[in-house]
Amino acid sequence: MKTIFLLLFISISANLSAQTDSAMIASIYREALVNGECYENLRVLCKDVGNRIAGSKNAEKAMEWGLRVMDTYGFDSVYTMPVEVPHWERGKKEVGCYSSKINSECFDIVALGGSVGSERPIIAGVVEVKSIQQLKDLPEEKVKGKIVFFNKAMDPMLINTGAAYGGAYDIRSDGPSEAAKKGAVGCLIRSLTLADDKYAHTGGTQYQEGVTKIPAAALSSMDARLLSQALTKDNELLFTLHLTCQLFPRVMQGNVIGEIRGTIHPEKVIVVGGHLDSWDVGEGAHDDGTGVTQSIEVLRILKAIGYQPKYTIRAVLFMNEEFGNDGGLTYARVVKEMKEEHIAAIESDGGGLTPQGFNIQGNEKQLEQLQSWAPLFEPYQLFRFKPGWSGVDIGPLKNDTIGLYGLSVDSQRYFDFHHSNNDVFENVNKREHTLGAAAMAALVYLIDQHETSN
């Protein structure tokens, strides 16, 4: 009989807990959708600050913006964590034109992040390849003195667009150095996008130690096709490439941090975050203005509804995810030095698109706990709760105990915007963006209420 009563008590308690959780999550979504402020914060970040590559004056302005917004909300602590970052500037001239026996045309190119420039225009023939391996298979005399053109598209058959991006990423990261090894004097790549348009997409390249650094730039998908067609008609055409990029000494900037102190375990932390820096084209709206404004909104929502967390809830706006992850690495190092205990970290860096659920990097118990909350998220059409990548910024926090969560969104349009002049505020949907913030706040609440390993 005692066993029956015990089971009944457990069942009733679990049901009451689920009802409480459901009501709290409804309150979170109501606050976000009716009184939400993350979209307006995004507008100010994009329009008043603009793009904000690490090391730039705009990155400094973005830090000031983050401090001001979080201070206005009255968070318990608002401060910066010093981070040393690179300082690279693309310069004013970006010339990419070809001249053939048939015609000539100029393209809107963008230098790859970290590219070197040249004192004068480079005029050379073009060698088109579809992959790094194809380049390696060419004899050196076919490449020496020429510009290598990597015309490799992201795989359209991969529904996971992140996987498609990863499959083509090597032409941007390694292509210039591999071309230089063969004696090339410049490098062009097809932009990493699934869109068929005129937007060129930048992103960091990684020069290899001991290899000559050559200028490198991206063409839009349409311009890559036009160049390829021109080469089929005249493989002796000449391409003029002129970049005026410069790399300056590293500078000190910082992560911007706001937190609400925990009432029971203030020494233990749940982190939400995104990266404050962006590339120096567009406005850094989806990448990652949406993530940083959603992270701030998580704290604002919890404070607005009067929720008092057990653990300290901390929003971190990381500096320089794009060009070395200095903010994430520095944060993890400081956490270790201060012997802070983090029980969970949540990142949004997939754009402000329709949320679908959360990826998790953690242990089996954390995965089972996340999946047990699926019914609570079902009314809000979140359905994905699986092992997967969480995020670059929070990645260095990984250990045997912390749960790392990444907001999973509908990514089909993300690479239309990524690292390009198309990544502007107008291309972020207010409702999708706000729903992502609400989902993150709901997950923070559930972790805060039900974390049992500490």
Side-chain angles (χ1 to χ4, degrees):
M1 185 64 71
K2 288 183 180 179
T3 301
I4 294 174
F5 280 122
L6 179 60
L7 292 173
L8 183 60
F9 174 77
I10 292 172
S11 177
I12 292 172
S13 297
N15 187 49
L16 289 173
S17 177
Q19 290 179 16
T20 301
D21 290 342
S22 180
M24 182 59 73
I25 291 172
S27 178
I28 287 170
Y29 271 84
R30 185 180 304 109
E31 173 61 27
L33 294 171
V34 176
N35 302 313
E37 297 187 15
C38 60
Y39 192 67
E40 173 59 17
N41 285 335
L42 179 66
R43 185 193 67 78
V44 174
L45 177 61
C46 290
K47 299 303 180 184
D48 291 1
V49 177
N51 58 53
R52 44 203 179 272
I53 188 170
S56 68
K57 291 182 179 178
N58 269 14
E60 293 283 351
K61 287 174 63 177
M63 291 172 60
E64 293 168 3
W65 165 87
L67 288 167
R68 184 170 62 252
V69 171
M70 291 196 283
D71 189 59
T72 299
Y73 287 142
F75 298 159
D76 294 331
S77 300
V78 178
Y79 56 99
T80 59
M81 174 185 290
V83 177
E84 186 182 86
V85 300
H87 178 197
W88 173 84
E89 295 181 8
R90 71 175 52 252
K92 294 181 179 179
K93 286 188 177 181
E94 293 187 313
V95 178
C97 304
Y98 77 84
S99 178
S100 74
K101 299 172 184 176
I102 301 170
N103 69 336
S104 60
E105 187 163 352
C106 290
F107 303 128
D108 289 329
I109 64 171
V110 291
L112 300 185
S115 174
V116 296
S118 62
E119 291 185 6
R120 54 183 60 88
I122 294 169
I123 302 174
V126 178
V127 177
E128 180 181 359
V129 294
K130 299 291 185 181
S131 67
I132 287 179
Q133 186 58 53
Q134 185 181 355
L135 171 67
K136 289 180 176 180
D137 291 340
L138 289 176
E140 187 173 316
E141 59 266 24
K142 292 281 189 180
V143 180
K144 191 172 183 179
K146 295 187 177 182
I147 295 170
V148 171
F149 167 37
F150 288 98
N151 190 18
K152 180 181 182 180
M154 288 170 57
D155 188 347
M157 288 301 295
L158 291 175
I159 304 303
N160 181 335
T161 60
Y165 175 74
Y169 174 80
D170 63 340
I171 65 169
R172 194 186 78 204
S173 61
D174 303 330
S177 285
E178 293 299 333
K181 289 177 184 178
K182 290 280 189 175
V185 294
C187 178
L188 298 169
I189 71 164
R190 184 191 190 279
S191 285
L192 303 186
T193 178
L194 289 162
D196 189 22
D197 60 25
K198 297 286 283 186
Y199 291 103
H201 298 240
T202 188
T205 192
Q206 300 165 6
Y207 288 120
Q208 294 177 22
E209 193 77 28
V211 178
T212 301
K213 297 177 180 179
I214 60 175
L219 300 168
S220 72
S221 55
M222 290 181 66
D223 288 342
R225 184 169 66 247
L226 290 173
L227 179 58
S228 181
Q229 291 170 349
L231 284 166
T232 62
K233 296 174 182 177
D234 180 7
N235 62 9
E236 295 183 353
L237 66 76
L238 295 178
F239 197 96
T240 300
L241 176 64
H242 191 200
L243 306 178
T244 55
C245 315
Q246 284 185 276
L247 184 64
F248 298 93
R250 292 173 69 88
V251 298
M252 292 301 298
Q253 291 188 331
N255 297 329
V256 181
I257 299 172
E259 57 188 28
I260 299 174
R261 296 277 290 174
T263 56
I264 299 176
H265 297 291
E267 76 286 0
K268 298 177 182 179
V269 181
I270 299 172
V271 163
V272 290
H275 63 88
L276 188 56
D277 64 299
S278 74
W279 281 110
D280 56 337
V281 293
E283 295 171 350
H286 280 287
D287 188 20
D288 184 28
T290 52
V292 299
T293 51
Q294 286 169 333
S295 299
I296 295 171
E297 183 75 350
V298 168
L299 273 64
R300 188 204 68 79
I301 289 171
L302 296 177
K303 186 175 176 65
I305 64 176
Y307 180 69
Q308 296 184 323
K310 297 177 182 179
Y311 303 105
T312 292
I313 312 298
R314 179 181 294 169
V316 182
L317 317 185
F318 295 94
M319 181 56 70
N320 193 37
E321 182 267 357
E322 295 290 5
F323 205 22
N325 196 28
D326 293 300
L329 291 167
T330 299
Y331 183 80
R333 174 178 57 78
V334 172
V335 164
K336 186 175 182 180
E337 288 173 353
M338 296 181 66
K339 298 182 179 179
E340 283 190 341
E341 184 175 350
H342 282 48
I343 62 173
I346 304 166
E347 182 167 342
S348 171
D349 188 19
L353 301 157
T354 304
Q356 296 180 333
F358 292 94
N359 297 326
I360 179 171
Q361 290 177 277
N363 57 44
E364 195 64 32
K365 182 178 178 181
Q366 289 161 339
L367 173 61
E368 290 175 359
Q369 186 177 57
L370 175 64
Q371 292 176 335
S372 74
W373 294 329
L376 293 167
F377 285 107
E378 187 175 348
Y380 308 99
Q381 298 185 11
L382 273 67
F383 56 86
R384 180 185 173 89
F385 303 96
K386 297 181 179 180
W389 177 243
S390 59
V392 171
D393 293 297
I394 64 175
L397 290 170
K398 184 173 175 56
N399 57 34
D400 293 335
T401 60
I402 190 172
L404 303 180
Y405 303 82
L407 179 66
S408 176
V409 301
D410 181 351
S411 66
Q412 298 309 312
R413 294 180 293 125
Y414 179 63
F415 291 101
D416 295 6
F417 316 118
H418 187 247
H419 295 180
S420 78
N421 279 317
N422 200 27
D423 190 10
V424 295
F425 172 74
E426 289 79 4
N427 284 330
V428 178
N429 178 275
K430 179 179 180 180
R431 187 168 179 85
E432 292 176 343
H433 179 217
T434 303
L435 284 169
M440 292 169 67
L443 181 60
V444 167
Y445 159 76
L446 288 169
I447 295 171
D448 186 63
Q449 282 293 304
H450 299 289
E451 171 61 30
T452 58
S453 61
N454 292 274

